[in-house]
Amino acid sequence: MVYRTAKRKLDYDIDIRAMTEADLVQAHQLSIGVGWPHRPEDWRLALEVGHGFVACDAIGRALGSAMWWPFGEYFATCGMVITSPRLQAQGAGRRLMDTIFEQSGARDLRLNATRAGYRLYRSLGFEPVGRIFQHQGRAQLTEPATEDGIAVRDIAAADRDAIARLDSMAYGADRTRVIVALMAQSAGTIVERNGEAVGFALCRRFGRGHVVGPIVAEDDAMAIALTRPHVAAHEGAFLRVDTAQEQGLFGGFLEASGMTIFDSVTTMIRGRNHGAQGAARTFGLVNQALG
């Protein structure tokens, strides 16, 4: 399907159409062009659980991309917004975002903005509400475990519904479809109390190595206990965690584990901000696009 929007002084015609599996090779090339680490498999997961668009020239070349992910009737996230350098000053990014607005309807929207995209999103009505810190590096375990009394075990397939419910409470929206897709390709850890899940962490291949996320916990100590086994499993290899925890015990643990702050992005909302609805909160993101 092609979505035609008003042209904004572009030098040539551009069509914005729905992204398909066949577009992932070109989408991957777009992300390489802006220095993002996403593999084709990472793009495939994003498309599997959401909706994407590509901006194409007259001969079908993908010159831009954007995606959005509905989490229920009232909330969505958006991201993977990329435009080629030749289009950045010609309004293609705005047209891609307009397409997301048309498709997402009245939903509140959240995104994590790079420095390059910040001004565009402010002009579209997004407001900054926080920052996400990209911790990454060669994993190393240098700290002795101090999370006494927190029993962590590996997740099993039977934990899926409990993890999805806990994620929904911590995130503020239902992401069951994402959790199901992630569990199919992740190792995970879980903490239970009185037979009920109160924290979990998933770890999967992503970008240059592995990423731990989402991480849902009640406090720093639990988040560390859930993450520590994944650091041990990937010691000496590239590991990443995206978190809003700039300081405190959890951020310090990541730094001590070889994952220093590489970059940061700005969390922005358009509409109402949806947050945690219980004791648990999100310590680590799925990724910067999905939140």
Side-chain angles (χ1 to χ4, degrees):
M1 181 179 296
V2 174
Y3 303 91
R4 296 187 182 275
T5 57
K7 297 180 176 60
R8 300 177 183 270
K9 299 182 181 179
L10 295 172
D11 291 340
Y12 44 84
D13 289 345
I14 286 183
D15 284 329
I16 296 178
R17 60 169 176 77
M19 183 183 293
T20 69
E21 181 87 10
D23 295 311
L24 294 181
V25 171
Q26 292 190 76
H28 179 232
Q29 291 301 313
L30 285 172
S31 59
I32 290 175
V34 294
W36 292 3
H38 299 68
R39 306 168 303 146
E41 294 86 353
D42 302 323
W43 276 95
R44 187 168 292 108
L45 173 65
L47 183 59
E48 175 186 344
V49 298
H51 309 283
F53 307 98
V54 289
C56 299
D57 64 12
I59 61 174
R61 291 176 300 184
L63 303 177
S65 69
M67 304 188 79
W68 72 283
W69 299 271
F71 300 135
E73 186 177 352
Y74 303 106
F75 179 73
T77 62
C78 49
M80 306 301 281
V81 181
I82 306 173
T83 55
S84 66
R86 65 196 295 193
L87 295 184
Q88 286 177 1
Q90 300 189 60
R94 182 177 293 270
R95 288 182 60 194
L96 285 162
M97 290 301 299
D98 285 345
T99 304
I100 289 177
F101 297 155
E102 292 168 8
Q103 295 299 301
S104 59
R107 288 179 176 87
D108 300 315
L109 292 173
R110 184 191 299 164
L111 57 77
N112 287 305
T114 63
R115 292 174 181 84
Y118 182 84
R119 289 182 61 187
L120 168 65
Y121 300 132
R122 282 303 303 265
S123 73
L124 293 171
F126 285 89
E127 297 292 334
V129 294
R131 296 174 71 194
I132 298 297
F133 300 90
Q134 181 179 329
H135 287 259
Q136 64 183 47
R138 296 286 174 183
Q140 57 183 20
L141 269 181
T142 58
E143 290 188 344
T146 58
E147 304 82 51
D148 296 337
I150 302 177
V152 177
R153 66 166 174 84
D154 293 341
I155 62 166
D159 297 317
R160 189 188 71 183
D161 291 346
I163 286 174
R165 284 194 297 270
L166 183 59
D167 178 78
S168 177
M169 294 294 291
Y171 189 73
D174 184 0
R175 300 195 297 180
T176 298
R177 186 176 182 183
V178 173
I179 294 299
V180 170
L182 291 176
M183 286 189 66
Q185 55 184 263
S186 300
T189 46
I190 190 170
V191 171
E192 294 176 309
R193 183 183 302 120
N194 299 323
E196 182 178 351
V198 293
F200 74 92
L202 301 179
C203 181
R204 71 188 189 283
R205 286 286 310 275
F206 178 85
R208 295 172 56 190
H210 283 74
V211 63
V212 188
I215 305 166
V216 170
E218 293 179 338
D219 54 31
D220 288 63
M222 185 181 292
I224 293 169
L226 287 160
T227 306
R228 187 183 298 277
H230 301 296
V231 175
H234 299 287
E235 192 161 14
F238 186 89
L239 195 62
R240 171 174 170 172
V241 175
D242 292 285
T243 180
Q245 312 301 313
E246 179 181 10
Q247 299 177 350
L249 294 177
F250 184 66
F253 167 77
L254 296 178
E255 294 273 348
S257 299
M259 290 175 278
T260 57
I261 295 176
F262 174 76
D263 200 1
S264 66
V265 292
T266 302
T267 302
M268 308 183 77
I269 60 167
R270 189 175 190 259
R272 184 172 66 90
N273 194 16
H274 296 234
Q277 300 170 353
R281 64 186 191 272
T282 300
F283 277 78
L285 277 59
V286 175
N287 57 30
Q288 291 181 5
L290 285 161

